[in-house]
Amino acid sequence: MDWGVLAGYWPFVIGLLATGVVSGIAAGLLGIGGGAVIVPALANALLLMGYDAEVVQHVAVGTSLAIIIPTGIMSARAHHKRGALDLTVLKLWAPFIVLGTFVGGLMAGWYSGDVLRIVFAVMAFVIAANIVFGFQTRLMGHLKGSSLTHRISALVVGYISSLMGIGGGSLTVPTLVAFGDTMHKAVGTSAAIGVAIAVSGTAGFLISGWGVEGLPPLSIGYINLLALALVGVLAALCAPLGAALAHRLDQKTLKYVFALFLVAVGLNMLWKVVMG
């Protein structure tokens, strides 16, 4: 065993552990699945370790979706215990979320790493603007009683979420709020919807990345098992902490902090595209 090579992985491992804690708390706190934290953190870590920029974003997105599975389950359970999970909406959204996410995961192999970065950045800006200005409620609020609108929203959210590597909460939460749910119930329901997104998207990225060259060690398709284990376990353990905080803290302040974070991440993604 080359201990020098092994020692070189410790910064990566420490970074993954920290990412797990932060993403888990964020998942429970905002119902976002943690992908908005995991994707940029994992992509940067893999780039710093010298892996091909063309596969790095795909691995970050695919692995993020796999990590969101245990995180979302723990977060959803914690919210369900507090009565903040709308089962009617969950049943309405789940089939179409699964379809949209699986298609997005399969199509991800068609897109370059830069395309995925641009998708992430643009959607991060849109989500941040919606958090601050709340235009989605004005545009969609009158459609809250339409089952068709729910299903179309689920399909679109699933597809976009799979390309971003997120649990969809940053899209699902404002949509459910626009349709009349309270913030707490939207966050709880979003966490459960995120599990459906993550399972379907993970399957799509596993298939589309199968046999691709230049992947980091311990990868199956675009899913990296080391990151899945380290980040996934800590994220799942920390998600209930975030859920507990969500019921204690001022949601307005949290929304603005999250919006600033999304803008920073989006600018970072675009910087990578511009600088190559």
Side-chain angles (χ1 to χ4, degrees), residues 173-261:
V173 170
T175 301
L176 294 182
V177 169
F179 288 160
D181 270 347
T182 64
M183 185 64 184
H184 284 120
K185 184 158 284 190
V187 168
T189 307
S190 170
I193 289 172
V195 176
I197 289 174
V199 171
S200 183
T202 297
F205 271 84
L206 193 152
I207 295 170
S208 65
W210 198 268
V212 171
E213 296 183 358
L215 295 173
L218 299 175
S219 294
I220 300 178
Y222 287 126
I223 315 301
N224 184 260
L225 298 181
L226 177 61
L228 172 59
L230 294 178
V231 179
V233 169
L234 276 175
L237 290 175
C238 293
L241 298 177
L245 284 173
H247 290 265
R248 296 181 181 178
L249 300 181
D250 176 18
Q251 292 296 301
K252 185 176 180 180
T253 300
L254 290 175
K255 287 195 294 183
Y256 284 124
V257 170
F258 185 45
L260 289 173
F261 169 76

Side-chain angles (χ1 to χ4, degrees), residues 31 46 48 55 63 98 117 125 169 177 191 194 206 211 214 221 234 236 244 263 271:
L46 291 172
L48 288 172
V55 301
T63 305
V98 168
R117 291 183 186 94
F125 295 147
V177 169
L206 193 152
L234 276 175
V263 170
W271 177 257

Side-chain angles (χ1 to χ4, degrees), residues 1 14 24 28 50 53 55 60 76 78 97 99 108 116-118 138 165 168 192 194 202 219 229 232 234 256 262:
M1 180 180 292
I14 292 171
V55 301
I97 276 284
L99 176 60
L116 293 185
R117 291 183 186 94
I118 291 171
R138 294 193 294 273
T202 297
S219 294
L234 276 175
Y256 284 124
L262 286 172

